[in-house]
Amino acid sequence: MLKLAIFGSGSGTNCQAIINAVEAGTLNAEIKCILSDVEDAVILERARKHNIPAICFNCAPFKTKLDGEGERVVLQTLKEHDVDFIALAGFMRIVKEGLLNAYAGRIVNIHPSLLPSFPGLDSGKQAFDYGVKITGCTVHFVDSGIDTGAIINQRMITIEDSDTLASMMDKLHAQEHIAYPEALQWIADRRTTLK
Amino acid sequence: MLKLAIFGSGSGTNCQAIINAVEAGTLNAEIKCILSDVEDAVILERARKHNIPAICFNCAPFKTKLDGEGERVVLQTLKEHDVDFIALAGFMRIVKEGLLNAYAGRIVNIHPSLLPSFPGLDSGKQAFDYGVKITGCTVHFVDSGIDTGAIINQRMITIEDSDTLASMMDKLHAQEHIAYPEALQWIADRRTTLK
């Protein structure tokens, strides 16, 4: 059973999909805590609603990464909650060596494109503006690059001429909510490990 | 009706798929000629078998592009055969300004990846080695970049744990043989044009 921490900065819909899979018994994991760098992030409300420890941490003085004192606090928190695996779900900061080394091969992320296409920010809009006819989402191990880690799972959608960015994103989110719990269960099953 | 020329350097299986679609009446095109930079390319045998003019041209002294005297000969050949649209099908040379300008918005190519992932050579192997779970093919307009032109059609395959590069490529080619005639018919229908 995975002893999971989920990190997010926003609404946490992928986090909710993971919570739902655990509660439905389709994902063999225990969510030990949910962490956010944003005090009023909806993801923390979701945690509290499901009686999961909701933890906010401060990343200052850094704007875009989790490093230094913030990273130290996070590592201590993960230890206290007996976490052995980390799922990033809309966590808008770059994870640095301290956490990567402590949880080597045990941090995963979901990205809203078929990587290696459209890494970085605003991937959905990048794909829509490029004019691709097929896009999707990627669950991958996190390494020190930006969206470069080994791929665990991908699911696709088609973009029709009638789609708007909003309708495309709705379809994409629906696939993310399948792909992420599925990938985590493959890891819980030891079907997937990082070589 | 498209008055089509097909360019290729190899076995021409995508060319064959286009020939088949024309003969089946599902692609509203006439194949005016098939051209190759390789004298003994199988694509030229396919042309002769279907009574389509088979034309070999010499690209020397250039190794990787169609330019200079070779380009001049090609442009003359296309004019003589009343060609108004060009489909590249495994043509291993870079098309340069002379042809791009003469057939602006009227040259398309098929590429064995879901662009913008894996442009350039050996895309199938690139994708397989990267470990993507979904790949596919892209029919796109040709511009002066390498595989950067506007996308017309994409079709996907999944890569299973049991797949080899060879089994993956078999699946990919099958999708290419659907995607390319389909995209050309969209152009013949004027459903798709380059803006």
Side-chain angles (χ1 to χ4, degrees):
Chain A
M1 181 176 286
L2 295 179
K3 293 183 281 189
L4 201 60
I6 304 173
F7 286 52
S9 306
S11 66
T13 60
N14 276 305
C15 175
Q16 187 68 54
I18 296 168
I19 294 170
N20 294 351
V22 170
E23 293 190 349
T26 56
L27 171 55
N28 190 26
E30 183 183 357
I31 304 172
K32 293 288 192 175
C33 52
I34 294 175
L35 298 90
S36 184
D37 58 318
V38 177
E39 197 174 335
D40 57 356
V42 174
I43 194 171
L44 294 177
E45 292 178 32
R46 295 181 192 274
R48 289 185 283 264
K49 189 174 165 192
H50 290 269
N51 298 310
I52 299 165
I55 296 152
C56 183
F57 55 91
N58 187 351
C59 288
F62 307 113
K63 303 279 188 198
T64 59
K65 65 180 179 177
L66 171 58
D67 205 348
E69 176 61 11
E71 184 187 67
R72 199 196 61 71
V73 168
V74 163
L75 281 167
Q76 182 60 32
T77 300
L78 296 174
K79 195 175 172 186
E80 284 168 10
H81 286 84
D82 191 28
V83 167
D84 67 10
F85 204 92
I86 297 169
L88 308 181
F91 183 57
M92 299 304 285
R93 288 179 180 269
I94 298 165
V95 172
K96 303 300 289 182
E97 284 67 23
L99 193 62
L100 286 174
N101 292 337
Y103 286 84
R106 294 182 293 149
I107 309 177
V108 296
N109 184 38
I110 189 160
H111 182 83
S113 75
L114 291 177
L115 290 171
S117 280
F118 310 119
L121 297 175
D122 290 325
S123 301
K125 186 169 189 304
Q126 284 187 58
F128 190 81
D129 290 349
Y130 195 99
V132 295
K133 307 303 180 185
I134 292 173
T135 189
C137 61
T138 302
V139 183
H140 63 91
F141 287 102
V142 175
D143 64 15
S144 58
I146 302 293
D147 306 319
T148 53
I151 291 174
I152 303 163
N153 196 13
Q154 295 185 303
R155 292 184 71 91
M156 59 79 73
I157 62 164
T158 60
I159 305 178
E160 308 299 332
D161 294 348
S162 56
D163 270 316
T164 60
L165 177 57
S167 67
M168 184 203 87
M169 291 307 294
D170 286 347
K171 292 193 282 187
L172 187 50
H173 290 142
Q175 292 304 311
E176 289 178 11
H177 300 164
I178 300 168
Y180 211 172
E182 185 174 63
L184 290 168
Q185 180 55 27
W186 292 346
I187 291 163
D189 274 346
R190 298 181 184 278
R191 171 176 159 183
T192 300
T193 52
L194 183 63
K195 278 178 210 158
Chain B
M1 179 175 287
L2 294 180
K3 293 182 279 189
L4 201 60
I6 303 173
F7 286 54
S9 307
S11 67
T13 61
N14 275 305
C15 174
Q16 187 67 54
I18 296 168
I19 294 170
N20 294 350
V22 170
E23 293 190 350
T26 56
L27 170 55
N28 190 24
E30 182 183 357
I31 304 172
K32 292 288 191 176
C33 52
I34 294 175
L35 297 91
S36 184
D37 58 319
V38 177
E39 197 175 334
D40 57 355
V42 174
I43 195 171
L44 293 178
E45 292 177 33
R46 295 181 192 275
R48 287 186 284 263
K49 190 174 164 190
H50 290 268
N51 298 311
I52 298 165
I55 297 152
C56 184
F57 55 90
N58 187 352
C59 288
F62 306 113
K63 302 280 188 196
T64 60
K65 64 180 180 178
L66 172 58
D67 205 349
E69 175 62 12
E71 184 187 65
R72 197 195 62 70
V73 168
V74 164
L75 282 168
Q76 182 61 31
T77 301
L78 296 174
K79 193 174 174 186
E80 284 168 11
H81 287 83
D82 191 27
V83 167
D84 67 11
F85 204 91
I86 296 169
L88 307 182
F91 184 56
M92 299 303 285
R93 288 179 181 268
I94 298 166
V95 172
K96 304 301 288 182
E97 283 68 24
L99 193 61
L100 286 173
N101 292 337
Y103 286 84
R106 294 182 293 148
I107 308 177
V108 297
N109 184 38
I110 188 160
H111 182 83
S113 75
L114 291 177
L115 289 172
S117 280
F118 310 119
L121 296 175
D122 289 325
S123 301
K125 185 169 189 303
Q126 284 187 58
F128 190 80
D129 291 348
Y130 194 99
V132 294
K133 308 302 179 184
I134 292 173
T135 188
C137 60
T138 302
V139 183
H140 63 91
F141 287 102
V142 175
D143 64 16
S144 58
I146 302 292
D147 305 319
T148 53
I151 291 174
I152 302 163
N153 195 15
Q154 295 185 304
R155 292 184 72 92
M156 59 79 74
I157 62 163
T158 60
I159 305 177
E160 308 299 331
D161 294 348
S162 56
D163 270 315
T164 61
L165 177 58
S167 68
M168 184 203 87
M169 291 307 295
D170 287 347
K171 292 194 283 186
L172 187 50
H173 290 143
Q175 293 305 312
E176 289 178 11
H177 301 164
I178 300 168
Y180 211 173
E182 185 173 64
L184 290 168
Q185 181 54 27
W186 292 346
I187 291 163
D189 274 347
R190 299 181 184 277
R191 171 176 158 181
T192 300
T193 53
L194 183 63
K195 278 179 211 160

